Amino acid sequence: MKVSALSSVNVVPHHGGHRFHWQSRSFSLFIARTTSSKSVAVACSASSTTSSSSSAKDLRRILESPGIHQGPACFDALSAKLVENAGFEFCFTSGFSISAATLALPDTGFLSYGEMVNQGQLITHAVSIPVIGDADNGYGNAMNVKRTLKGYIAAGFAGIILEDQISPKACGHTRGRKVVSREEAVMKIKAAVDARRESGSDIVIVARTDSRQAVSLEEALSRSRAFADAGADVLFIDALASKEEMRAFCQVSPLIPKMANMLEGGGKTPILNPLELEEIGFKIVAYPLSLIGVSIRAMQDSLTAIKGGRIPPPGSMPTFEEIKDILGFNAYYEEEKRYATSTNQQLSKGESSSLYSIQRRDQVDTEQTSQSLKDPIVEVITPDDMYNKYGADSSRNPFSGIWSRTLRVKITGRDGFEKLDLRIPAGFLDGITNIVPALGGVNLKELLDDAAEEVGGKLLLDFNDRMGDRIQVFLE
């Protein structure tokens, strides 16, 4: 029997310098047995952990670098991508937010291990920054914790947060929390450390305790010390109630990085800025509700606008082009060119994806093909053209005499703030209903005919829509 191509295995000192763990490089083990008739090769690969190990190394570099580091909490691939695009070095997943976004249910243990792993894999594959995964209480006993950690490694997580709550768990800043015994909690951290070694991974283990609210501050500090001794890389006490408690926590096992949780909107922990947290002694800080919170409010506001016969105002959402850019449409089109065949290249020369080209394709005459493909003829119509063609003297004009007049549409919200104030040529009646759908049932043509001969401005409409907004239409 012959064994070859074994890579080296390094022993890397653990944070704090007093413990060691195995860090394995990606390797392949080839065992070849030669007989008189044939050779049989068996290959074993550890490539499934390569991505996770790489991101774990990146996360460890962040933990070892000076200063405090911020990590917003995401809940899906898109929110994670936006975190990366905003320039953050890493992010968390939030069980609270994932439960809200995927199940529309509270963070009270409804999400399963499998659902969290599946969502986590989508998130880690969407970004190149390290992601720390919320693993609740490991979804069972110490043996379940080992399976959970290995599953999170395979999903591509750089770090994992394990807490000591009983099942079903509760959100850290809500009532009804209970924790397992200190001995059981420590054994779960030891099981996670063993699973990491067995997997040849370097995933960062964040040990969280909820015993501050469930038992006492003293118990939380004692558990943190025990977690550090068991091999945790980062310590986290949730729901600390004051700056004094936060200082006391950061004095525990001072060589081990500490994590802070800034629960936006009103939790038990004081909201401090990054400089204050760094001064106290924290290394990383999570912002668990910002993204899911603003998403909920933005969707509520948009639905209110739509129900009131409007669309969300331009400033409240990105343009379609911006959305496409975020999602990578342009990059997709560029890469797609690498795999273009002669057939679809020919099609792309004569066909465009734009609506104008699709509509125009059937109008191309065979005698004009060569010219039209190079120089498409576009007729630009201006209000002056329309006025000259269908002027006040023309019987063909359904709005005789008013084309040069202007319609002013004004919308004032129930709170008294102005939501819309625009002016358009009075002849564009079809277009105005696209802007303010609530005017769709109003006979504006009749109102304009009645006011066509009047000099100066006139209020044509003044009413409140179903949402209580005041809509006014003037002829100027």
Side-chain angles (χ1 to χ4, degrees), residues 224-301:
S224 295
R225 293 187 190 96
F227 293 159
D229 292 338
D233 300 293
V234 179
L235 302 178
F236 171 28
I237 299 178
D238 200 24
L240 291 167
S242 67
K243 290 178 69 173
E244 291 70 28
E245 292 187 2
M246 297 166 79
R247 289 187 187 277
F249 169 48
C250 288
Q251 292 170 6
V252 171
S253 302
L255 295 178
I256 307 298
K258 308 300 187 302
M259 171 180 160
N261 187 30
M262 297 289 96
L263 184 68
E264 312 89 321
K268 297 182 180 297
T269 303
I271 301 297
L272 305 179
N273 65 49
L275 292 179
E276 291 175 307
L277 292 170
E278 182 181 3
E279 187 274 328
I280 290 174
F282 289 97
K283 175 55 65 174
I284 57 174
V285 53
Y287 299 88
L289 294 184
S290 291
L291 297 188
I292 191 68
V294 298
S295 298
I296 291 172
R297 179 52 54 85
M299 287 189 284
Q300 287 175 330
D301 291 345

Side-chain angles (χ1 to χ4, degrees), residues 295-361:
S295 298
I296 291 172
R297 179 52 54 85
M299 287 189 284
Q300 287 175 330
D301 291 345
S302 297
L303 292 170
T304 298
I306 293 171
K307 191 173 182 181
R310 302 183 305 279
I311 61 173
S316 69
M317 61 182 291
T319 65
F320 183 48
E321 289 301 319
E322 290 172 329
I323 293 174
K324 289 193 297 181
D325 186 55
I326 291 170
L327 298 179
F329 274 85
N330 293 331
Y332 172 87
Y333 295 142
E334 286 301 313
E335 185 176 2
E336 185 184 34
K337 294 177 182 177
R338 295 172 52 191
Y339 310 104
T341 64
S342 57
T343 301
N344 58 36
Q345 282 181 339
Q346 185 68 27
L347 288 174
S348 65
K349 292 180 181 179
E351 299 181 12
S352 169
S353 60
S354 68
L355 180 61
Y356 169 77
S357 296
I358 293 173
Q359 293 175 334
R360 187 176 177 277
R361 188 170 55 217

Side-chain angles (χ1 to χ4, degrees), residues 130 143 157 268 377 404 444 459:
M143 296 303 294
F157 282 107
K268 297 182 180 297
I377 300 172
S404 60
L444 287 173
L459 177 64

